């Protein structure tokens, strides 16, 4: 099994690489290291330092004969995408078109795509299943949805079978401590809480405590990154066995509030973690929870590490090394 992982030096990508290596795959990582880290590379995997915007080097890397590729080489900051959409158009959309064209040229016929719950936008009902209307509220989510639509056409026209994995809120670190790279300038809740715990950030701003939720803070569906990683391997097996494309949600199916995560992090780290209530962040819904029934049925996938303690403990295991 030979797998090319685009964006394999990133936070989620490195966990996906680990999962394929653990299952005996021969892995090549292709990454421009713009947010990926050398520290996240494993000696067992080959590494190509390249950009998905450079068609020739992409095609060269892809022509080595792979059974599948996993694409996680994207920008993912929803807020930034509303200020700098050009960056998201070029990297996320044009970059993926390059990959698909190179796949068509080099004969890679299985494509596992890192999509997002951001394709749904403001929820019309909960839990969100794959039939929920698609109305992204930010440009980042729009890029993921556009790519899913392009994937359907390349499936029809170029016989490239895809698995679009719609992640909910990825969090946590490899429970056995093999991945230690810290994201630079994280925008997501748990890494921010961890930076405060480690003393590299002064305080957490809680974006609103007047939502219509039990404790007033926003509720999200946090899914452990190693559970996400497992789904990529299962998706590869699915594409291999069925030769048919698939779009599934990946979430834990349970909601955690900002306060629940903060309280757990305080308990697990033993740190005060100063927090103050700030205004709501524009575009933030009160509550998002996934239905992952389809992933369970089609892939046999199950979230095994996505409880709040594992999310906080596996993160702290890595962040405590930055403790000042
Ligand atoms: C965000 C993106 C989503 C993207 C996902 C993965 C938005 C609206 N959504 O999800 O499109 O797929 O990241 O990168 O940007 N919070 C605080 N204080 C903070 C940070 C977050 O209170 O400093 C709260 C938020 O209001 C929210 C929860 O924590 O209720 C989770 O926020 P975050 O980690 O940013 O993820 P999402 O906004 O759910």
């Amino acid at each position: 099994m030979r797998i090319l992982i685009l964006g394999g030096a990133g936070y989620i990508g490195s966990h996906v690489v680990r999962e394929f290596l653990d299952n005996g795959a021969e892995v090549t990582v292709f990454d421009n290291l713009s947010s990926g880290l050398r520290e996240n590379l494993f000696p067992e995997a080959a590494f190509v330092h390249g950009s998905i915007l450079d068609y020739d080097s992409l095609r060269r890397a892809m022509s080595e004969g792979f059974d599948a590729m996993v694409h996680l080489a994207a920008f993912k900051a929803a807020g930034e995408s509303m200020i700098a959409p050009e960056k998201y158009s070029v990297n996320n959309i044009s970059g993926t078109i390059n990959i698909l064209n190179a796949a068509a040229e080099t004969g890679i016929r299985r494509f596992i795509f890192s999509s997002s719950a951001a394709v749904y936008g403001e929820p019309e009902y909960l839990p969100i299943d794959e039939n929920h209307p698609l109305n992204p509220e930010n440009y980042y989510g729009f890029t993921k949805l556009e790519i899913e639509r392009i994937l359907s056409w390349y499936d029809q026209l170029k016989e490239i079978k895809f698995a679009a994995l719609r992640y909910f809120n990825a969090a946590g670190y490899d429970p056995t401590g093999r991945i230690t790279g810290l994201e630079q300038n994280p925008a997501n809740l748990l890494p921010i809480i961890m930076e405060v715990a480690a003393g590299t950030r002064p305080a957490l701003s809680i974006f609103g405590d007047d939502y219509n939720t039990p404790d007033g803070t926003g509720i999200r569906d946090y899914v452990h990154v190693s559970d996400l990683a497992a789904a990529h391997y299962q998706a590869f097996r699915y594409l291999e066995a069925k030769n048919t494309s698939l779009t599934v949600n990946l979430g834990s199916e349970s909601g955690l509030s900002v306060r629940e995560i903060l309280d757990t992090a305080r308990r697990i780290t033993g740190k005060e973690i100063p927090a103050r209530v700030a205004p709501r962040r524009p575009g933030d819904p009160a509550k998002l929870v996934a239905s992952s029934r389809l992933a369970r049925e089609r892939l046999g996938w199950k979230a095994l590490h996505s409880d709040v303690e594992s999310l906080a403990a596996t993160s702290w295991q890595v962040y405590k090394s930055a403790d000042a």
Side-chain angles (χ1 to χ4, degrees):
M1 165 185 29
R2 300 194 71 211
I3 311 288
L4 178 66
I5 304 188
L6 306 147
Y11 163 61
I12 300 177
S14 57
H15 286 83
V16 172
V17 171
R18 200 54 266 168
E19 175 72 15
F20 275 97
L21 290 172
D22 290 348
N23 282 288
E26 210 180 298
V27 174
T28 297
V29 171
F30 185 96
D31 200 301
N32 69 356
L33 299 179
S34 68
S35 58
L37 304 168
R38 278 196 188 274
E39 188 186 343
N40 283 342
L41 298 171
F42 299 100
E44 310 93 288
F47 174 57
V48 179
H49 188 184
S51 164
I52 58 171
L53 299 178
D54 174 358
Y55 188 76
D56 289 336
S57 72
L58 189 60
R59 194 196 44 211
R60 220 173 307 119
M62 287 173 64
S63 62
E64 303 279 312
F66 292 100
D67 299 304
M69 62 199 158
V70 185
H71 171 30
L72 313 99
F75 293 125
K76 62 160 190 172
E80 180 194 53
S81 75
M82 300 296 276
I83 298 160
E86 306 88 338
K87 186 172 160 181
Y88 286 73
S89 302
V90 172
N91 190 76
N92 292 14
I93 300 180
S94 305
T96 305
I97 292 172
N98 276 344
I99 297 168
L100 280 167
N101 288 345
E105 217 182 315
T106 58
I108 307 182
R109 292 287 173 265
R110 299 184 191 102
F111 191 118
I112 298 159
F113 176 58
S114 162
S115 189
S116 169
V119 298
Y120 297 115
E122 178 75 25
E124 292 183 15
Y125 60 82
L126 293 173
I128 297 176
D129 59 21
E130 293 79 358
N131 296 320
H132 185 283
L134 301 165
N135 288 309
E137 287 236 322
N138 49 61
Y139 192 70
Y140 160 75
F142 168 79
T143 66
K144 293 287 175 180
L145 183 56
E146 272 312 274
I147 295 163
E148 286 192 4
R149 291 183 170 142
I150 296 168
L151 284 172
S152 295
W153 281 104
Y154 274 67
D155 173 352
Q156 269 183 61
L157 304 174
K158 290 285 174 181
E159 282 296 313
I160 296 172
K161 299 300 163 188
F162 68 87
L165 306 180
R166 292 177 177 163
Y167 312 157
F168 279 66
N169 291 56
Y173 271 82
D174 175 42
T176 59
R178 293 169 297 175
I179 295 168
T180 55
L182 299 179
E183 284 188 281
Q184 303 304 303
N185 306 314
N188 294 115
L189 179 65
L190 201 56
I192 288 174
I193 289 179
M194 289 294 139
E195 288 191 351
V196 179
T200 54
R201 187 189 282 259
L204 169 72
S205 297
I206 298 173
F207 296 147
D209 69 347
D210 56 355
Y211 283 105
N212 185 17
T213 59
D215 67 18
T217 65
I219 293 181
R220 294 290 180 275
D221 182 320
Y222 295 86
V223 54
H224 195 284
V225 65
S226 297
D227 288 334
L228 285 183
H232 293 71
Y233 176 69
Q234 291 166 338
F236 168 67
R237 287 295 183 209
Y238 179 92
L239 293 178
E240 216 183 14
K242 310 271 186 206
N243 195 36
T244 170
S245 296
L246 170 80
T247 299
V248 291
N249 286 343
L250 295 175
S252 66
E253 305 189 305
S254 63
L256 293 171
S257 74
V258 174
R259 276 209 197 282
E260 280 174 280
I261 297 197
L262 178 60
D263 291 345
T264 307
R266 283 176 170 155
R267 186 160 43 75
I268 281 175
T269 63
K271 304 282 182 181
E272 183 199 341
I273 314 185
R276 54 180 156 71
V277 177
R280 290 182 181 193
R281 185 171 63 179
D284 266 1
K287 182 170 177 179
L288 289 179
V289 182
S291 162
S292 283
R293 189 179 52 83
L294 204 60
R296 270 200 309 280
E297 287 176 4
R298 299 276 163 87
L299 302 179
W301 181 75
K302 227 176 129 184
L304 300 175
H305 305 283
S306 297
D307 56 285
V308 64
E309 279 81 16
S310 304
L311 294 168
T314 58
S315 300
W316 182 236
Q317 188 176 284
V318 175
Y319 274 88
K320 72 178 176 213
S321 63
D323 192 355

